[in-house]
């Protein structure tokens, strides 16, 4: 479904992003993963290679626009075009507001919001030039209802939805579609890091009776990246087993 499309996936070294990379490769995209460290990027590329897939990877600081612009220019020079951007890198939080420092809050916004803005700003000129492109953002079910602690995380994901809907309107006339996927609780390291007391009550509220697997989420990204979603833009697609917390 993505034959010869060039896709950049941030946070592509593990969890949801790694599975998006895998499902895009299965569908014949050319995949470039971004991670936070050289070692994790190399490890992810090695795992993909073991499965028979050839991808490339970088580890720019997503808070640094100039660094990103340089790397993105290099990708454009190498492949000739950039068709799909998946802004997936993100960190979570679970402290009460009294325990959340100004720096904690800033750190989340820097990656989850500023990083997304920086990546998008770097890629859009090439998509405009091609009059073609797909931008996909990883939101969260907490972007709809908030959560009872770790306020920076839902705040950042509300911003993700705002950026998604606004850029869909701004870029539609350039044939660039912008959508987000809002996963529910998904079986990744991010969830493993959260306290049991937070996760177990959540699972009880999920009508499908289980947490999501990375593949459940990656398939939604595949749909939105593919021509099957040619008239879908500005959408926040919940993929959460109907969890409503
Ligand atoms: P994960 O912790 O398994 O993976 C996070 C990815 O982000 C990694 O590839 C990591 O390299 C990258 N990353 C982390 N910090 C970074 C930094 N400072 N700079 C660059 N990259 C960095 O998490 P995941 O569960 O796969 O989460 C991926 C996305 O899905 C996030 O945006 C998260 O908010 C969202 N999400 C996850 C869940 C869930 O339950 N797991 C639910 C809803 C939304």
């Amino acid at each position: 479904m993505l034959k010869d499309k060039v896709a950049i996936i941030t946070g592509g070294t593990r969890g949801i992003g790694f599975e998006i990379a895998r499902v895009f490769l299965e569908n014949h995209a050319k995949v470039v993963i971004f991670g936070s460290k050289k070692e994790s990027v190399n490890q992810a590329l090695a795992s993909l290679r073991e499965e028979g897939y050839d991808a490339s990877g970088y580890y720019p600081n997503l808070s640094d626009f100039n660094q990103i612009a340089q790397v993105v220019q290099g990708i454009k020079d190498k492949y000739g075009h950039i068709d799909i951007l998946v802004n997936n890198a993100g960190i979570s939080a679970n402290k009460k507001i009294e325990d959340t420092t100004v720096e904690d809050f800033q750190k989340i916004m820097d990656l989850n919001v500023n990083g997304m803005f920086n990546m998008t700003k770097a890629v859009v000129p090439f998509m405009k030039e091609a009059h073609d492109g797909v931008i996909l953002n990883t939101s969260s079910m907490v972007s709809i209802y908030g959560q009872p602690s770790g306020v920076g995380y839902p705040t950042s994901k509300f911003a993700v939805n705002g950026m998604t809907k606004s850029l869909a309107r701004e870029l539609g006339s350039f044939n660039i579609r912008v959508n987000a996927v809002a996963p529910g609780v998904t079986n990744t390291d991010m969830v493993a890091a959260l306290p049991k007391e937070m996760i177990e009550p959540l699972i009880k509220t999920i009508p499908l009776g289980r947490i999501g697997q990375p593949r459940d989420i990656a398939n939604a990204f595949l749909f939105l990246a593919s021509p099957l979603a040619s008239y879908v833009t500005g959408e926040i697609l919940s993929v959460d087993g109907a969890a409503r917390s």
Side-chain angles (χ1 to χ4, degrees):
M1 280 206 273
L2 303 180
K3 191 162 170 28
D4 295 329
K5 297 289 185 190
V6 176
I8 301 176
I9 303 167
T10 71
T13 59
R14 57 174 198 257
I16 291 170
F18 184 74
E19 199 61 22
I20 297 170
R22 194 186 256 144
V23 85
F24 278 19
L25 286 160
E26 285 170 10
N27 282 271
H28 304 286
K30 292 174 181 157
V31 168
V32 183
I33 58 170
F34 280 16
S36 53
K37 290 190 226 96
K38 184 179 181 181
E39 302 75 53
S40 51
V41 168
N42 285 343
Q43 199 179 11
L45 292 176
S47 303
L48 290 171
R49 216 169 296 121
E50 266 174 35
E51 295 178 27
Y53 298 120
D54 190 24
S56 54
Y58 301 88
Y59 41 93
N61 177 357
L62 296 184
S63 306
D64 181 340
F65 176 73
N66 291 334
Q67 224 184 91
I68 289 171
Q70 219 176 346
V71 174
V72 166
Q73 180 68 56
I75 294 167
K76 162 74 164 61
D77 293 345
K78 179 173 171 190
Y79 293 96
H81 46 104
I82 298 170
D83 306 292
I84 302 165
L85 168 64
V86 180
N87 284 309
N88 167 76
I91 47 173
S92 167
N94 57 51
K95 290 187 214 161
K96 294 288 177 201
I97 188 157
E98 303 91 313
D99 303 323
T100 302
T101 63
V102 171
E103 291 74 26
D104 290 336
F105 187 81
Q106 190 115 37
K107 191 174 165 200
I108 291 225
M109 299 302 278
D110 262 355
L111 180 65
N112 297 12
V113 183
N114 297 2
M116 184 170 285
F117 170 80
N118 290 339
M119 284 300 302
T120 305
K121 182 175 164 60
V123 162
V124 156
F126 300 123
M127 291 185 171
K128 274 192 172 178
E129 195 180 74
H131 202 76
D132 192 26
V134 174
I135 298 168
L136 302 177
N137 299 326
T138 306
S139 181
S140 166
M141 68 176 181
V142 305
S143 75
I144 299 159
Y145 298 96
Q147 67 182 21
S149 62
V151 68
Y153 183 61
T155 302
S156 73
K157 295 300 185 179
F158 272 75
V160 168
N161 292 3
M163 211 184 306
T164 302
K165 286 182 175 288
S166 299
L167 287 177
R169 301 186 75 166
E170 181 175 332
L171 300 174
S173 62
F174 298 93
N175 194 33
I176 300 170
R177 295 187 295 105
V178 188
N179 290 293
V181 173
V185 186
T186 309
N187 191 13
T188 69
D189 291 354
M190 179 179 275
V191 163
L194 294 175
K196 267 200 172 129
E197 312 84 75
M198 199 166 165
I199 298 304
E200 279 173 358
L202 263 179
I203 292 176
K204 289 201 181 107
T205 69
I206 303 173
L208 283 185
R210 64 175 179 87
I211 63 170
Q213 295 302 323
R215 182 54 63 121
D216 294 317
I217 313 303
N219 283 337
F221 279 91
L222 173 63
F223 162 68
L224 289 170
S226 81
L228 291 177
S230 54
Y231 200 53
V232 182
T233 193
E235 185 61 25
I236 315 298
L237 176 58
S238 288
V239 184
D240 63 3
R244 301 288 181 261
S245 65

